[in-house]
């Protein structure tokens, strides 16, 4: 096989999948990221040989050499998307080609080989197909898919690895934040930043998350749900949460979100909301917004809503912002009108309950 050939997936079915009655119990109230399906997808990459050995197999622990490069230099990237149950009983993905492209961009930034879009999509479709019984039916529930890739080469030298493993696992999930669309509180981190210019902020890599955890722990200690990061250079501009993008809604109905300049993760939910707001004729700006302005606008009433968005938590209102300089409330501290409308519109499209003018929904079966 030459390096450009696209291998097709071999299906090796699990010989002893979880019995149906047991599975039903596990997916009834699955929480987030705790319940996993029977299978996983794997594709290997070796320099010179290219992508090969694409298959679906029983989900099982990996056996890894302790000198595998990822364990030392964190050459790892991932994606996150959901398979949704449609209103008519079918199943669909939401803009999966966007995840495939972002995965390639993350790979480029981490000096990793780029997985062809067709292989990315096939790995997901085959896994959802074989594990379709694991898609929960409850409202807000879905099958969360986690494609990821890491340097598996056994080598301690510092250079891009020559061997990688690409995998997809799937998890039956309920709502990300317990209590559904209840407003969250966020902590403004003084001591830590998530991403610096020229760094990996725009890539979906595990290292960004590792670097965000002390700040997230600090937020929890401060009684908050999430941390909000400011820019690294001036420590003034609001960027995003540890894993969600932010939107601000003004009193005049206009909407603002920080621009993508390499330090913010280009969220697919962010992009979808930009499109949906423009569709509605709402004025939307991608513009830097400072923490001081945010505080001032919240106090004066010029800013009426703030929401966070991402695949896992969809659209989540921000009710309170806490910081060392004092706390402030957004609007009434609950769910604002635009926040609710954007959440409802997005969910309706994802569930096949509303027209899909942009062709975002990819029906699988
Ligand atoms: C994944 C992620 C998001 C949200 O992206 P979606 O494509 O909307 O799920 C936002 N910020 C960070 C840091 C992320 O890793």
């Amino acid at each position: 096989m030459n390096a450009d050939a696209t291998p097709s997936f071999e299906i090796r079915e699990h010989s002893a999948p979880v019995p149906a009655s047991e599975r039903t119990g596990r997916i009834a109230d699955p929480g987030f990221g705790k319940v996993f399906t029977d299978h996983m997808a794997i594709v290997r990459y070796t320099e010179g040989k290219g992508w090969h050995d694409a298959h679906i197999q029983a989900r099982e622990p990996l056996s890894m050499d302790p000198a595998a490069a990822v364990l030392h230099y964190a050459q790892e990237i991932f994606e996150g998307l959901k398979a949704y149950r449609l209103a008519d009983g079918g199943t669909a993905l939401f803009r999966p080609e966007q995840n495939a492209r972002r995965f390639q961009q993350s790979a480029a930034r981490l000096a990793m080989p780029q997985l062809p879009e067709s292989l990315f999509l096939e790995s997901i479709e085959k896994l959802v197909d074989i594990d379709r019984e694991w898609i929960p039916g409850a409202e807000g529930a879905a099958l969360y898919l986690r494609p990821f890739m890491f340097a598996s080469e056994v080598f301690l030298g510092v250079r891009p690895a020559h061997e990688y493993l690409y995998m997809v696992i799937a998890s039956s999930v309920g709502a990300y934040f317990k209590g559904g669309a209840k407003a969250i509180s966020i902590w403004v981190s003084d001591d830590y930043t998530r991403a610096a210019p020229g760094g990996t902020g725009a890539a979906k890599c595990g290292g960004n998350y590792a670097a965000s955890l002390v700040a997230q722990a600090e937020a929890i200690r401060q009684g908050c749900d999430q941390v909000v990061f400011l820019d690294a250079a001036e420590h003034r501009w609001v960027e995003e949460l540890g894993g969600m993008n932010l939107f601000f809604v003004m009193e005049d109905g206009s909407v603002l979100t920080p621009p993508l300049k390499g330090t913010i993760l280009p969220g697919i939910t962010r992009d979808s909301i930009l499109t949906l707001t423009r569709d509605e004729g709402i004025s939307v700006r991608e513009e830097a917004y400072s923490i001081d302005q945010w505080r001032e606008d919240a106090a004066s009433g010029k800013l009426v809503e703030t929401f966070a968005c991402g695949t896992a938590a969809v659209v989540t209102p921000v009710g309170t912002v806490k910081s060392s300089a004092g706390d402030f409330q957004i609007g009434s501290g609950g769910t604002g009108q635009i926040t609710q409308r954007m959440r409802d519109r997005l969910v309706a499209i994802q569930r096949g309950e509303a027209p899909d003018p942009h062709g975002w929904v990819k029906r699988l079966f």
Side-chain angles (χ1 to χ4, degrees), residues 102 194 204 209 240 242-245 265 267-269 310-311:
R102 189 170 63 189
R194 193 192 80 92
K204 218 168 167 71
Y209 279 75
E240 62 170 316
M244 279 180 281
N245 296 117
L265 197 288
I268 296 162
T269 317
T311 297

Side-chain angles (χ1 to χ4, degrees), residues 190-269:
D190 283 325
D191 297 337
Y192 305 104
T193 50
R194 193 192 80 92
T200 56
K204 218 168 167 71
C205 63
N208 289 342
Y209 279 75
S212 76
L213 297 178
V214 291
Q216 174 64 23
E218 187 177 82
I220 301 288
R221 272 202 306 281
Q222 296 289 342
C224 292
D225 299 298
Q226 290 282 315
V227 59
V228 56
F229 290 102
L230 304 179
D231 76 294
E234 295 180 65
H235 217 65
R236 178 174 170 216
W237 306 106
V238 182
E239 297 213 309
E240 62 170 316
L241 309 189
M244 279 180 281
N245 296 117
L246 276 176
F247 277 83
F248 305 95
V249 183
M250 301 300 160
E251 190 188 18
D252 65 4
S254 67
V255 170
L256 190 152
T257 192
L260 302 176
K261 285 187 182 160
T263 54
I264 292 179
L265 197 288
I268 296 162
T269 317

